[in-house]
Amino acid sequence: MNISSGCTITIQKAEPQHLDELHNLELDSFDGDRISRRNYRRLLRVPSACCLVALENNQLIGSLVLLFRRNSPKARIYSLAVASSARGKGIGKKLIHHAETEAAQRGCHSLTLEVRCDNLAAITLYTRMNYTKTADLIAYYEDGANGLRFTKEIIDLS
Ligand SMILES: CC(C)(COP(=O)(O)OP(=O)(O)OC[C@H]1O[C@@H](n2cnc3c(N)ncnc32)[C@H](O)[C@@H]1OP(=O)(O)O)[C@@H](O)C(=O)NCCC(=O)NCCS
């Protein structure tokens, strides 16, 4: 998959050479509960994961990790991050849209994700994209913060 969306921003599946940039974006974007470099290396090769990247002039400015389980119609957005310098331009929205298309193409009927209760930007983004809160997750994060689970039923968007 290599989908051009907008003037210079491309959303595509991550490749092994993106490992360092993926890891750096993770370090810049999250204070805890991060995906380690080792875990990213594994996610890049296992069929149960789909790593999407947003590239601008070949530079990685966004990422989304989608997880699948064998024989399950539910996919999970495991991570989403946009470089701080590139936020507010619709890249998060584009990554989610592509993840929904990918999940639908792999036969999934719904997407779930977890988000910290205090992450207003992400909660607003998910709500705007018609995700609905389906669970409260008490002390879900490493630092004891509460989380929310959001879910969206998807149809084949391809
Ligand atoms: C959350 C995140 C991925 C959003 O990415 P983004 O590319 O800036 O988001 P978009 O530009 O696509 O914004 C889409 C919508 O989200 C909402 N939104 C985005 N940033 C927001 C903010 N800071 N405050 C309130 N709403 C916000 C808006 O409704 C926006 O739509 P609009 O501009 O038409 O009003 C980004 O802020 C990020 O990487 N944060 C750090 C990592 C993180 O928290 N990831 C999510 C973990 S669950």
Side-chain angles (χ1 to χ4, degrees):
M1 179 174 64
N2 188 338
I3 307 160
S4 279
S5 46
C7 310
T8 56
I9 295 166
T10 301
I11 310 287
Q12 67 168 65
K13 283 190 180 156
E15 291 165 12
Q17 74 259 24
H18 293 129
L19 177 61
D20 286 338
E21 284 178 289
L22 281 167
H23 185 231
N24 288 338
L25 178 59
E26 187 78 8
L27 293 178
D28 287 346
S29 304
F30 300 102
D31 294 329
D33 294 277
R34 294 176 176 129
I35 301 176
S36 67
R37 194 173 188 283
R38 184 176 171 190
N39 198 10
Y40 249 127
R41 190 185 291 118
R42 192 185 64 79
L43 291 167
L44 284 169
R45 63 179 156 72
V46 293
S48 56
C50 171
C51 301
L52 298 174
V53 289
L55 302 174
E56 186 172 34
N57 302 326
N58 264 338
Q59 221 179 335
L60 193 147
I61 53 166
S63 65
L64 184 152
V65 179
L66 193 55
L67 297 182
F68 299 93
R69 278 191 308 186
R70 201 188 294 259
N71 300 325
S72 170
K74 295 179 185 175
R76 178 179 174 214
I77 296 178
Y78 183 52
S79 180
L80 168 68
V82 173
S84 50
S85 58
R87 289 180 193 161
K89 297 179 184 172
I91 296 165
K93 217 187 280 185
K94 281 189 171 81
L95 282 163
I96 293 177
H97 180 71
H98 284 294
E100 292 173 355
T101 302
E102 176 72 21
Q105 285 172 348
R106 287 176 61 154
C108 291
H109 300 167
S110 69
L111 273 172
T112 63
L113 59 90
E114 294 81 33
V115 58
R116 288 176 69 103
C117 283
D118 57 6
N119 192 341
L120 178 67
I123 290 171
T124 308
L125 166 62
Y126 301 137
T127 305
R128 289 280 288 260
M129 294 195 73
N130 299 318
Y131 285 74
T132 52
K133 192 190 99 172
T134 49
D136 289 298
L137 307 167
I138 306 304
Y140 184 74
Y141 290 94
E142 271 172 12
D143 65 355
N146 295 333
L148 300 170
R149 176 165 294 127
F150 278 79
T151 303
K152 181 176 178 177
E153 302 300 318
I154 51 171
I155 48 167
D156 190 347
L157 304 160
S158 56

